[in-house]
Amino acid sequence: MINLVLFGKPGAGKGTQASFLKEQFNLVHISTGDLFRSNIQNETPLGLLAKSYMDQGDLVPDQVTIDMLEAEVDKNPKAQGFIFDGFPRTKAQAEALDAFLKEKNMSISATIALEAADDVLVDRLLERGKSSGRTDDQDEAKIRNRFEEYNLKTAPLRDYYTKQGKFQSVSGIGSIEAITERLTELINSLS
Ligand code: AMP
């Protein structure tokens, strides 16, 4: 079983790459951002709550996010592995994920960071915002706030996974295909 965490700032390409990797390695892709957006679209209470944070570029509270993620994993008992995209984003989430997987005799195989400079990411997100309709991609101040949230709360997870010997990084610059190739090579080297 391969369980991957795709790590990286907003716009690093986690979702794009996950959609290729899930096919290639037969994994279930779970994006907490996508799950929140689908809740918002369906006007669920969870969506309503998440929207108030997402609209500002703030993280949604841990427990809500952890409960949603765990429910999604439980919906896929036959999965051969998972790609976690956009989760964990805080130390509390990472610890909860480890504990949850351990109960199921599962564990994270690797955390792979997609690296790119902030200015490149801002340009990518503003471009994406033109077609995605995502309001959090259309306003540079919100984008910068998402980076701040990342630096403050998510970046420390580098240390968390490095201590477990599970942190790897790959350049997120280049063509989509070239980056998929880098990731594929790395994932193949895990087993
Ligand atoms: P994303 O699609 O991954 O860029 O996520 C969009 C937004 O959803 C983030 O800016 C957060 O507001 C929220 N979100 C997604 N994943 C998480 C998470 N693991 N923890 C807290 N908030 C999250």
Side-chain angles (χ1 to χ4, degrees):
M1 193 174 202
I2 307 175
N3 295 306
L4 301 172
V5 172
L6 274 188
F7 193 80
K9 285 186 179 167
K14 302 185 294 294
T16 305
Q17 293 300 329
S19 64
F20 291 108
L21 297 175
K22 73 171 181 190
E23 301 294 340
Q24 216 165 326
F25 293 96
N26 199 15
L27 305 173
V28 172
H29 171 205
I30 300 183
S31 153
T32 41
D34 285 351
L35 289 173
F36 284 133
R37 280 184 288 278
S38 134
N39 273 280
I40 291 172
Q41 211 162 14
N42 295 323
E43 297 180 349
T44 68
L46 173 61
L48 205 66
L49 174 87
K51 189 175 186 327
S52 61
Y53 294 92
M54 290 168 77
D55 276 351
Q56 303 306 315
D58 291 337
L59 292 187
V60 178
D62 280 333
Q63 203 53 53
V64 176
T65 309
I66 290 165
D67 290 348
M68 178 180 74
L69 183 283
E70 293 186 354
E72 201 59 26
V73 171
D74 284 337
K75 279 184 202 161
N76 293 280
K78 297 208 174 109
Q80 299 194 12
F82 292 88
I83 303 181
F84 300 108
D85 157 12
F87 185 95
R89 265 174 153 105
T90 65
K91 188 147 179 263
Q93 292 179 16
E95 287 170 347
L97 180 61
D98 277 347
F100 175 71
L101 293 179
K102 198 171 171 198
E103 272 174 24
K104 298 176 179 297
N105 283 323
M106 291 161 59
S107 61
I108 295 298
S109 316
T111 293
I112 308 176
L114 285 168
E115 311 273 6
D118 282 9
D119 287 346
V120 173
L121 297 177
V122 172
D123 288 347
R124 273 191 200 170
L125 289 169
L126 289 171
E127 197 52 42
R128 181 171 82 182
K130 289 182 195 164
S131 52
S132 72
R134 281 182 57 173
T135 49
D136 61 345
D137 283 347
Q138 290 168 357
D139 175 339
E140 187 163 341
K142 285 183 193 171
I143 292 174
R144 297 271 176 202
N145 186 48
R146 284 155 71 198
F147 289 174
E148 267 179 48
E149 286 279 81
Y150 177 92
N151 290 334
L152 202 68
K153 299 173 183 168
T154 310
L157 295 184
R158 271 170 195 273
D159 275 358
Y160 180 87
Y161 286 112
T162 301
K163 279 190 190 134
Q164 296 188 10
K166 291 182 177 170
F167 191 83
Q168 315 253 16
S169 53
V170 156
S171 165
I173 301 292
S175 69
I176 290 174
E177 297 76 19
I179 298 166
T180 309
E181 219 165 285
R182 280 172 216 155
L183 289 166
T184 302
E185 218 171 283
L186 201 162
I187 297 164
N188 281 329
S189 76
L190 293 175
S191 46

